């Protein structure tokens, strides 16, 4: 009787398994730390969207006014508000007496570095004093999107999330329900 010994084949799968597990963990951690995109997600807006944006921004401003006192509250936009809704919201908040710090998207990063560099020591000292005196405002973000004739607006102020739906009827937009208020967990 002859015994046969089979050579055990090493499978490369076992050699790469720790690498695959490590990569999966890094991807999951990276997804957890990524910031959620904010702003308007309205694609191919209707011509009436500028009017709809103004109506929705008016309603959002009224709701914010119920929760935060004007003239003593400062907001800091956490993303550029370059769409019609964002511009209407910022304009409304300022007209109501809120201070709003806007986030400006720099088209040329090299120019931003050059412009932000102090010219001499006096300017550098003045810039440091200004930074110390500047009080950061409440973090303000928004998400606006649409599905058919239903618009969804979410306003995030620090850890507070306010959400409301709006519906279009006969060319006019109106609230489709009450405001939903939720505290975000950190």
């Amino acid at each position: 009787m002859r015994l046969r010994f089979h050579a055990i084949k090493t499978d490369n799968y076992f050699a790469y398994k720790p690498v695959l597990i490590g990569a999966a963990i890094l991807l999951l951690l990276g997804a957890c730390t990524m910031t959620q995109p904010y702003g308007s997600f309205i694609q191919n807006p209707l011509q009436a969207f500028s009017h709809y944006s103004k109506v929705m921004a008016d309603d959002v401003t009224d709701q914010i006014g119920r929760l935060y006192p004007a003239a003593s509250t400062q907001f800091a936009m956490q993303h550029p508000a370059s769409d019609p809704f964002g511009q209407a919201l910022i304009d409304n908040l300022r007209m109501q007496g809120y201070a709003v710090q806007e986030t400006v998207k720099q088209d040329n990063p090299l120019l931003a570095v050059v412009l932000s560099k102090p010219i001499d020591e006096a300017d550098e000292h003045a810039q440091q004093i200004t930074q110390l005196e500047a009080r950061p405002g409440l973090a303000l973000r928004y998400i606006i999107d649409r599905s058919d004739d239903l618009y969804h607006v979410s306003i995030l102020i620090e850890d507070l999330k306010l959400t409301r739906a709006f519906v279009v009827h006969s060319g006019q937009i109106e609230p489709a329900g009450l405001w939903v208020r939720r505290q975000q967990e950190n």
Side-chain angles (χ1 to χ4, degrees), residues 4 13 20 28 34 38 40 57 76 94 106 113 126 138 145 163:
R4 285 189 171 179
Y13 171 76
L20 292 174
L28 287 173
M34 289 174 57
Y38 298 102
S40 176
R94 287 182 174 151
Q106 293 290 338
V113 170
L138 298 172
D145 62 1
T163 305

Side-chain angles (χ1 to χ4, degrees), residues 5 21 24 45 50 57 60 65 69 77 84 116 121 128 131-132 141 146-147 166:
F5 292 101
I21 291 173
S50 292
V60 168
M77 286 298 300
S116 67
E121 287 182 25
Q128 289 173 351
Q131 288 173 352
L132 290 175
R141 300 173 299 276
R146 177 183 128 199
S147 57
F166 294 84

Side-chain angles (χ1 to χ4, degrees), residues 25 35 38 59 70 73 76-77 95 105 160 167 169 173-174 185:
I25 290 172
T35 58
Y38 298 102
D59 193 57
T73 303
M77 286 298 300
M95 287 177 54
K105 184 177 180 181
L160 174 68
V167 66
H169 283 296
I173 193 164
E174 56 191 40
E185 295 179 17

Side-chain angles (χ1 to χ4, degrees), residues 88-134:
L89 179 62
I90 289 172
D91 291 345
N92 284 353
L93 289 171
R94 287 182 174 151
M95 287 177 54
Q96 294 295 320
Y98 295 96
V100 181
Q101 295 174 345
E102 291 185 63
T103 300
V104 179
K105 184 177 180 181
Q106 293 290 338
D107 292 332
N108 186 344
L110 180 61
L111 182 61
V113 170
V114 170
L115 291 176
S116 67
K117 191 177 263 188
I119 297 172
D120 59 15
E121 287 182 25
D123 286 343
E124 185 175 340
H125 181 67
Q127 184 180 15
Q128 289 173 351
I129 290 173
T130 304
Q131 288 173 352
L132 290 175
E133 290 176 353

Side-chain angles (χ1 to χ4, degrees), residues 21-36:
I21 291 173
I25 290 172
L26 287 176
L27 285 173
L28 287 173
L29 289 175
C32 292
T33 61
M34 289 174 57
T35 58
Q36 182 178 0

